[in-house]
Amino acid sequence: MIGIVVSHADSASVHIGEHLRALAEWEEATDDTRPDAAGGGRYYRRTGFELREFDDLHIYLDDPAEAFSETPAFVAVVSRHAGETGPLLTAHFTGNFGPADYGGESGRFARACPNAQRAVVSALRHHAPDGYEVGIEATHHGPTETDVPSMFVELGSGEDEWNDPEGARAVAAAVLDIEGVEPDADRQLVGFGGGHYAPRFERILRETDWSVGHIAADWQLKAMGDPDENRDVLRRAFDASAADVALVDGDRENLADVLEDEGYRVVSETWVRETAGVPLARVRDLESALIRIEDGLRFGTDVDAADYDVVSLPDPLLAEAQGIDIDAALDAVAETTVAFQTTEGGTRASGRAAIAADGYDELVARLCDILRAKYDSVERDDGRVVASMTAFDPVAARERGVPEGPAFGKLSAGYEIEVDGEVISPAEVSKQRVIDFSV
């Protein structure tokens, strides 16, 4: 069951609550064990949800989860968002990396529900009215002591939007869309740095299969102070996010050193993108067997293969193929390997690879196909690939008195030329070129 919190002190929250009740059929019930102001009295239930109303502003509630008739899987607090951002629908987690200026406790965090946030942000994008942006915010304000995971789902950013029925309906519909969603994902990380609206982390939600827990924006890191002196705060952020991976936005060497010293993996956005869809146990194995992702490891389409061998790529043959058609050559490597090493920022394959059975033979065959676009003959036999072609020979052309320049270009392109009244054909100034690749 998902618990929904509505605050009477927040007009947008009230309007979203009204649309929640209008968009679905609810059973009314009464709780005489709690004051009406604290979530008791009349409340609403339907399959997968329970909605409770509170008088206090939600950021100052100690633990709204206590009010529900059963322990929720997580709590969604519908709320207003205030800022100079125009029409905006957002979701975020609550907590304080620094002082608790707006509810909760200093240096403490409510349990995040990264998978639920991912789902509700996707639903917000689906339901957003024209003119509304959708995003996530960094962690801020209370409450911080909830017994179950929780998140705020918000309508912003001013009076016009708080009273906009279409905006309120969009938030309500998005919350109803996440029925049955589990709070945690298989892979989630903690974010550090960047602006309050966390574009890098929103991009990760939108473009990868990673979910994001608590986020410390630049202003919160400044409020927290020296990372080395606030290790307990950092540990609480990871614990509340059920994560052991950190993505640090910007150059924060001191912070990264402290996080790694605490045993957390500090990764780049490239690492997050490259590991999308790859089992994390396989990521660890392949980084150990080959190189780290940051140093050029890339994953192939055969990444789920049960068994593989680490072998050297046929680098001279591969280099020749990449010189002919870089995209086709990289596709050939990616589509026949479990993982492979790259250079030049991941743009060229070279070095070693993890390859399942028959993958190496298929790779060589595909590289040979690429060479056939340039060479007259490409043959593979007994651990060798022999490529041959008839090509323009500048030495022979000079010996025939052909001046360098346009005449060389014409002969190289296959056209006859005339020098001092003599016709010279391309065949007369060509020779066979043979390259032998060991595979």
Side-chain angles (χ1 to χ4, degrees):
M1 182 268 287
I2 298 170
I4 302 175
V5 169
V6 169
S7 167
H8 292 154
D10 177 344
S11 61
S13 182
V14 171
H15 293 153
I16 297 167
E18 291 170 350
H19 284 282
L20 279 163
R21 297 197 302 274
L23 286 172
E25 294 184 4
W26 298 79
E27 174 189 348
E28 288 191 17
T30 302
D31 181 357
D32 294 327
T33 66
R34 300 178 63 85
D36 291 5
R42 184 174 58 184
Y43 68 96
Y44 305 88
R45 288 184 62 88
R46 70 179 305 272
T47 302
F49 296 94
E50 184 172 306
L51 188 155
R52 297 267 182 160
E53 299 176 327
F54 299 77
D55 282 356
D56 286 346
L57 194 61
H58 26 54
I59 65 174
Y60 297 115
L61 297 175
D62 291 331
D63 185 6
E66 295 176 346
F68 292 89
S69 60
E70 60 182 272
T71 302
F74 62 90
V75 169
V77 181
V78 293
S79 169
R80 72 185 179 209
H81 166 70
E84 302 297 325
T85 49
L88 177 66
L89 309 179
T90 75
H92 71 87
F93 303 123
T94 59
N96 301 296
F97 282 88
D101 295 328
Y102 299 98
E105 300 292 329
S106 299
R108 295 189 177 275
F109 307 88
R111 288 174 56 193
C113 43
N115 193 49
Q117 182 194 52
R118 178 186 185 85
V120 83
V121 170
S122 177
L124 287 171
R125 292 193 202 103
H126 177 72
H127 292 289
D130 290 344
Y132 276 81
E133 298 292 330
V134 174
I136 60 173
E137 297 177 71
T139 298
H140 62 299
H141 68 63
T144 58
E145 306 304 311
T146 54
D147 284 339
V148 302
S150 62
M151 65 179 173
F152 272 53
V153 188
E154 301 187 342
L155 169 63
S157 301
E159 290 283 354
D160 288 345
E161 289 76 34
W162 301 340
N163 293 308
D164 177 17
E166 291 189 4
R169 188 181 303 112
V171 175
V175 171
L176 291 173
D177 276 358
I178 62 174
E179 177 185 349
V181 167
E182 293 293 331
D184 291 326
D186 292 332
R187 52 186 71 204
Q188 44 208 47
L189 58 85
V190 178
F192 294 92
H196 179 79
Y197 295 98
R200 167 167 284 184
F201 301 104
E202 188 274 334
R203 189 166 64 241
I204 285 170
L205 281 187
R206 180 164 30 91
E207 299 177 2
T208 80
D209 62 354
W210 280 83
S211 296
V212 181
H214 285 288
I215 302 172
D218 290 341
W219 68 269
Q220 292 153 307
L221 289 173
K222 182 178 180 181
M224 181 185 74
D226 186 353
D228 191 40
E229 296 177 1
N230 289 278
R231 290 172 179 255
D232 57 337
V233 176
L234 297 173
R235 286 193 295 267
R236 290 188 201 112
F238 281 90
D239 289 345
S241 302
D244 58 9
V245 173
L247 175 56
V248 179
D249 190 346
D251 184 12
R252 300 180 180 276
E253 186 175 346
N254 291 343
L255 173 61
D257 288 345
V258 169
L259 294 175
E260 288 181 341
D261 188 54
E262 287 291 323
Y264 304 114
R265 175 76 186 265
V266 178
V267 302
S268 64
E269 185 173 344
T270 296
W271 189 94
V272 174
R273 290 182 176 277
E274 292 299 327
T275 58
V278 183
L280 294 183
R282 179 54 60 91
V283 172
R284 290 190 292 270
D285 290 345
L286 291 169
E287 284 193 310
S288 176
L290 294 166
I291 54 175
R292 288 162 59 95
I293 291 169
E294 289 87 348
D295 297 324
L297 179 68
R298 296 297 181 264
F299 298 104
T301 58
D302 205 17
V303 72
D304 293 322
D307 298 302
Y308 60 83
D309 293 316
V310 175
V311 303
S312 294
L313 289 167
D315 277 344
L317 175 63
L318 178 56
E320 184 71 11
Q322 290 180 126
I324 296 169
D325 189 335
I326 182 67
D327 292 334
L330 280 175
D331 285 345
V333 176
E335 292 168 9
T336 58
T337 65
V338 175
F340 56 98
Q341 293 179 338
T342 67
T343 60
E344 299 181 29
T347 61
R348 298 185 73 85
S350 178
R352 298 185 302 154
I355 299 184
D358 300 328
Y360 190 87
D361 285 342
E362 183 182 350
L363 170 60
V364 172
R366 291 185 59 173
L367 296 177
C368 288
D369 287 341
I370 294 171
L371 263 61
R372 291 187 177 97
K374 175 179 178 181
Y375 290 89
D376 300 327
S377 171
V378 179
E379 302 293 337
R380 181 182 181 186
D381 180 50
D382 194 26
R384 300 166 57 228
V385 169
V386 179
S388 62
M389 64 185 296
T390 301
F392 171 68
D393 183 3
V395 174
R398 292 189 192 97
E399 291 174 349
R400 294 294 302 273
V402 178
E404 294 187 28
F408 269 34
K410 289 182 178 180
L411 286 168
S412 178
Y415 296 99
E416 293 180 343
I417 65 166
E418 184 175 329
V419 176
D420 296 332
E422 180 184 4
V423 175
I424 300 175
S425 69
E428 296 175 79
V429 289
S430 297
K431 70 175 182 178
Q432 189 175 47
R433 179 189 177 199
V434 178
I435 301 180
D436 193 331
F437 303 98
S438 173
V439 293

